[in-house]
Structure formats: C-alpha cells, structure tokens
Amino acid sequence: EVQLVESGGGLVKPGGSLRLSCAASGFTFSNAWMTWVRQAPGKGLEWVGRIKSKTDGGTTDYAAPVKGRFTISRDDSKNTLYLQMNSLKTEDTAVYYCTTQRSGSFDYWGQGTLVTVSS
Amino acid sequence: QSALTQPASVSGSPGQSITISCTGTSSDVGGYNYVSWYQQHPGKAPKLIISDVSNRPSGVSNRFSGSKSGNTASLTISGLQAEDEADYYCSSYTSSITWVFGGGTKLTVL
C-alpha cells in the first residue's frame, strides 16, 4: 500500500525558513517523480514544484511564486522527499501535500502538513 | 501561469448527470493530453479520479468520465450519489514545464 507521510509544518515568522519532509513507502521511491502541491486555507490547489527520479536526471521545476525561495530534494536511501522553504511570506500559509507523479497526474497524496507564516 | 477556469459550483439530484468544465489555453489544456481531475472531500487530501484526459485509475467508479475538446476539458459524473458531494479540481501540464490547477468546483447533491 502506498503511503506518504508529511511532517515538519508549523508556525514560522515572515522571512523565516522551514523544511518539510515526506516519508514514502509501498512503492519504489527511487523510480518515482515526486511533487509538492499546496492549498491555502479555504482556497484551491496550487502546484509548487516537482523533482524527477535520479535515473531521469533528478531535475527540479518550480512554480513562479516559489522559484528561488523553495528547493525540492530527495534522499532515495531514506525514501524521503524534502521541501526547503526560505524567505517565507504570509501568502505561503497553506497545507502542503506531497504526491507521486505518474505521467501527467498526481496519483497518490499524503495527508498534508500545515505551514502558517505569521508574525 | 493563470489558473484554469472552472465553475464555482454545480448541483444535481441523485441519479442525474452533471458536467464540470475546465477551460484553459492552447499552452495548457489544448496543447497536451495531460489533463487530470481530483475529488476532495472536506478535510481530506485530494484523490485522483481521471488521468490523461479520460483514463480512470483502478478503483474509481465508472460513473466518472473525462473528455477534452480544444482548450476545454470536462468531467462528467453520471448517476449522482450523495457521496459525490465534494470539491473537484482539474489540472493540466503547461508549456512552461509546470502544472496548473483549476480554481475548483463545489458539487452539491440536492
């Protein structure tokens, strides 16, 4: 059974940093493309960024609002995906989901972790 | 990249069929067959219900179907059931090597 468990969310001040983790199990993590999607309170879904598998180059792509501030990485030895968030803004407040990506869709989702950026 | 356009809400009675539209541009919906649909119940994570325009993942009811014409994709739910009441989101790959979601549609089963 595929399981994705996010952690690391919490309250942070504007300008601060936070690192989210996503522990994966039930599939071959090293072969998977992985994505972060966020959802602000009461709002819709927003794609944050994606990392390819190392065999496909391990490259990353990001949405414009987070490019240059957020970094996605992976540790295949630990079956874990990361999202390093720097220079956080109040508009980054959201539930952050990690997902697997197959073709053009996000097929498995974690339960999400809440990040609140507030002074 | 602007969000894809979905109606804010749709409604239908049990047993009826409804269709949710998702309108983009030739740089996203119209340019690629990478349109997917997600169902989200309150307080829950989204669930994939349609991938690659019209493919249903294993375990998803055949009451859900997807299609695309030009820059508009559509999700049809037939034989509406109370459990279908949820928010629905479309998503598409874009020419900027990113993904974009629709604003979401709230489905009410009357």
Side-chain angles (χ1 to χ4, degrees):
Chain A
E1 177 196 3
V2 172
Q3 279 204 313
L4 298 169
V5 180
E6 300 93 339
S7 61
L11 176 63
V12 61
K13 289 182 167 50
S17 298
L18 207 58
R19 189 178 82 157
L20 306 184
S21 300
C22 172
S25 60
F27 64 102
T28 305
F29 180 76
S30 60
N31 291 344
W33 292 24
M34 300 295 296
T35 292
W36 288 96
V37 175
R38 68 184 181 183
Q39 185 170 34
K43 302 295 185 183
L45 302 173
E46 181 183 21
W47 182 81
V48 172
R50 179 224 59 217
I51 186 167
K52 296 181 179 180
S53 64
K54 284 194 168 56
T55 54
D56 289 322
T59 54
T60 52
D61 288 284
Y62 299 94
V66 308
K67 200 168 186 177
R69 299 188 299 122
F70 289 13
T71 302
I72 299 174
S73 61
R74 63 192 301 157
D75 186 336
D76 291 343
S77 69
K78 295 182 178 178
N79 286 353
T80 301
L81 176 73
Y82 301 101
L83 178 65
Q84 177 67 43
M85 304 184 294
N86 299 330
S87 302
L88 281 161
K89 305 175 181 180
T90 55
E91 53 263 42
D92 295 320
T93 294
V95 173
Y96 285 74
Y97 296 100
C98 72
T99 88
T100 58
Q101 182 177 335
R102 182 182 54 80
S103 184
S105 58
F106 314 116
D107 45 353
Y108 294 100
W109 296 63
Q111 85 289 350
T113 187
L114 176 63
V115 172
T116 302
V117 184
S118 174
S119 54
Chain B
Q1 184 73 40
S2 300
L4 305 175
T5 300
Q6 297 182 231
S9 63
V10 298
S11 62
S13 299
Q16 287 186 332
S17 294
I18 63 94
T19 296
I20 299 172
S21 61
C22 170
T23 301
T25 69
S26 58
S27 296
D28 39 63
V29 174
Y32 307 93
N33 286 326
Y34 288 143
V35 175
S36 50
W37 290 90
Y38 303 86
Q39 177 192 61
Q40 186 179 34
H41 287 108
K44 300 293 187 182
K47 172 189 174 185
L48 175 67
I49 55 174
I50 295 289
S51 67
D52 300 339
V53 176
S54 59
N55 293 332
R56 243 186 345 267
S58 173
V60 174
S61 170
N62 59 10
R63 298 184 299 104
F64 294 91
S65 62
S67 63
K68 189 184 84 166
S69 177
N71 295 338
T72 298
S74 299
L75 171 71
T76 297
I77 309 174
S78 59
L80 268 180
Q81 299 179 359
E83 69 210 45
D84 298 332
E85 187 161 293
D87 293 327
Y88 291 84
Y89 295 91
C90 62
S91 176
S92 174
Y93 179 68
T94 83
S95 60
S96 301
I97 317 179
T98 61
W99 273 259
V100 62
F101 284 93
T105 298
K106 181 177 180 60
L107 169 62
T108 300
V109 180
L110 302 170

